[in-house]
Amino acid sequence: MPSKIEQGKDLELLTSLKGKHVRIPDLGPIFSSWPKGVNKHYEALKEATDEFLESFEMKEKKLKKQIEIDYALSGSMWWQQADFNELRAVTFFVIWLFNYDDDIDEPTGQHSGDLESARGVHRTAISFIEHCLGLSEHGDINTPRNPNISCFKVIGDQLRVEYSGEQRQAFLDEMTLYLEACAQEQEARQRGEVLSVEEYWTLRKGTSAVGLCTSLADLANKLHTSEPFTRDPEVLQLREETNFIISMVNDLLSLKKEMALGCILSHVPLACTVTPDVQCVIDEAIEALHSSVTRFDAIAERLLSRPDLACGEKRDFDDFIRVCRENCVGNWTWSLVTSRYGIQNDGQEDGSVSFAL
């Protein structure tokens, strides 16, 4: 693996990209055969998510901004066929995740500039989440005062009821991976490091939190899968491709927002250290997306064509594949219209998105 680029080069990279115009082509053709839609419970979910956001004890200005992001639309696009109770739980998790991540990761976050403070938040978070999932060996613990942690309880309570111990442990393992990756990313940012593309994607597999969201497919589908399912080699490959697709789409469509915040720990800026032409980097990323979708479809076809699949197994695999596809398409379609990434007014007649960095 290539070594890290010289420390302190982050500002130089950021400056070199500022003001450049980029075009992200319409991704519709890539996802043309995958399900696209909005869950029928969107309106009811919108009311529930707005109430949930109020429990975070935000200042009025921030609360208004959070409500405008429309997390209910995100959940409804990611999990298009989930029933209301399950849809509410997975969407509440997305809200929790975004707010927790912003608090640690974004420059404006309360703990973004303090590594020791952030590590303490991570320790408190994993301890509380472990407790909420019924996996703690320490008995009762005090509810954290930080609402970005304590609000996980409403999600954990439902997972504790709906998930087996094995499923909850798998979710906790993904959460641990996510928090550890976030800590490593924050340390790199604080040191002013410009990671190589390879190093970045090693971290991105964890910081994306896609593994966590994919772990919620069982809840969204009301499945009770066991280790033979979750450890199936082709299921693991599908999870890898899903992670890459969602992460790359997010890196492309959040580029304007990240650059405005001075964040270069994203695929496009880091790839520009090798290929200085930013539009060329974006075009190569689109090709990588297309290849990943093609691989996903081939793996899914092989899995569903197994001659020894029982009827129930095939249904579970089919549901899992469908939800992964819904998640990928939902991530793309929501990112285009939400105020979170600031590109809702940058769409062109040909379906592309164009903006200045």
Side-chain angles (χ1 to χ4, degrees):
M1 180 180 294
S3 60
K4 299 179 183 67
I5 297 168
E6 183 181 348
Q7 294 183 10
K9 293 289 185 178
D10 53 340
L11 290 178
E12 183 179 325
L13 176 58
L14 183 68
T15 302
S16 72
L17 294 173
K18 282 285 190 179
K20 292 189 176 181
H21 286 263
V22 298
R23 175 184 177 273
I24 300 169
D26 180 15
L27 302 184
I30 295 178
F31 297 120
S32 60
S33 64
W34 287 18
K36 178 182 177 183
V38 178
N39 192 290
K40 64 182 180 181
H41 299 295
Y42 165 66
E43 293 296 339
L45 181 64
K46 183 70 170 70
E47 183 177 343
T49 54
D50 290 354
E51 291 179 1
F52 183 57
L53 282 166
E54 292 174 0
S55 69
F56 280 75
E57 301 175 5
M58 303 173 188
K59 292 182 179 179
E60 186 175 347
K61 183 178 179 180
K62 183 177 181 181
L63 177 61
K64 181 181 178 182
K65 186 177 180 181
Q66 287 284 301
I67 289 174
E68 289 174 350
I69 286 173
D70 203 348
Y71 292 107
L73 186 60
S74 172
S76 296
M77 288 178 162
W78 274 60
W79 292 280
Q80 297 164 24
Q81 297 186 34
D83 290 338
F84 178 73
N85 286 338
E86 288 71 29
L87 178 63
R88 179 177 56 190
V90 293
T91 305
F92 280 8
F93 174 72
V94 170
I95 293 173
W96 178 87
L97 186 66
F98 273 109
N99 278 275
Y100 182 89
D101 183 73
D102 288 351
D103 191 39
I104 298 295
D105 186 56
E106 288 198 351
T108 55
Q110 183 178 353
H111 303 282
S112 65
D114 189 333
L115 291 177
E116 286 305 314
S117 175
R119 289 192 190 100
V121 172
H122 288 322
R123 286 192 296 269
T124 301
I126 200 65
S127 177
F128 184 67
I129 291 167
E130 190 177 44
H131 169 73
C132 291
L133 294 174
L135 298 173
S136 176
E137 298 178 354
H138 305 295
D140 292 336
I141 63 172
N142 294 326
T143 300
R145 297 179 63 182
N146 184 342
N148 289 328
I149 300 175
S150 61
C151 283
F152 181 83
K153 186 178 186 301
V154 66
I155 305 118
D157 285 348
Q158 187 156 354
L159 289 177
R160 193 167 181 169
V161 172
E162 301 288 346
Y163 271 19
S164 66
E166 190 176 297
Q167 288 172 303
R168 282 178 278 134
Q169 185 60 54
F171 182 85
L172 182 63
D173 291 344
E174 287 288 348
M175 179 64 76
T176 302
L177 173 65
Y178 162 70
L179 293 175
E180 288 177 351
C182 286
Q184 292 176 47
E185 183 183 60
Q186 186 182 21
E187 289 174 4
R189 187 175 63 251
Q190 288 295 303
R191 289 194 297 265
E193 291 179 358
V194 179
L195 302 181
S196 69
V197 173
E198 292 85 353
E199 289 168 325
Y200 168 73
W201 277 102
T202 298
L203 279 183
R204 190 69 169 114
K205 291 177 182 178
T207 60
S208 69
V210 174
L212 280 166
C213 293
T214 306
S215 295
L216 294 175
D218 284 4
L219 180 62
N221 281 322
K222 299 182 180 178
L223 300 179
H224 293 281
T225 55
S226 58
E227 189 167 345
F229 178 99
T230 57
R231 297 301 175 188
D232 185 286
E234 289 183 316
V235 169
L236 293 175
Q237 290 176 46
L238 290 174
R239 289 174 66 107
E240 285 286 322
E241 298 297 347
T242 300
N243 197 335
F244 176 79
I245 292 166
I246 292 176
S247 298
M248 183 61 88
V249 170
N250 179 258
D251 277 16
L252 290 170
L253 298 183
S254 68
L255 181 59
K256 180 180 180 180
K257 167 181 175 282
E258 294 298 317
M259 290 292 293
L261 290 171
C263 297
I264 53 87
L265 282 180
S266 182
H267 174 78
V268 173
L270 296 178
C272 284
T273 62
V274 179
T275 305
D277 187 332
V278 63
Q279 188 60 53
C280 181
V281 167
I282 289 174
D283 293 342
E284 290 174 351
I286 299 300
E287 286 299 316
L289 271 176
H290 188 274
S291 297
S292 185
V293 169
T294 301
R295 288 193 301 270
F296 184 104
D297 286 341
I299 297 164
E301 184 176 355
R302 287 199 307 270
L303 195 159
L304 294 175
S305 299
R306 290 179 184 175
D308 57 342
L309 277 184
C311 182
E313 289 178 311
K314 186 170 184 178
R315 183 182 62 248
D316 287 350
F317 282 132
D318 197 39
D319 283 343
F320 176 76
I321 291 165
R322 172 182 55 78
V323 171
C324 286
R325 286 170 170 158
E326 287 179 359
N327 289 173
C328 291
V329 175
N331 172 64
W332 161 55
T333 52
W334 178 71
S335 298
L336 292 173
V337 298
T338 178
S339 61
R340 179 172 175 84
Y341 302 121
I343 58 172
Q344 67 272 30
N345 298 317
D346 294 329
Q348 307 300 308
E349 289 185 4
D350 63 355
S352 66
V353 178
S354 181
F355 52 82
L357 300 178

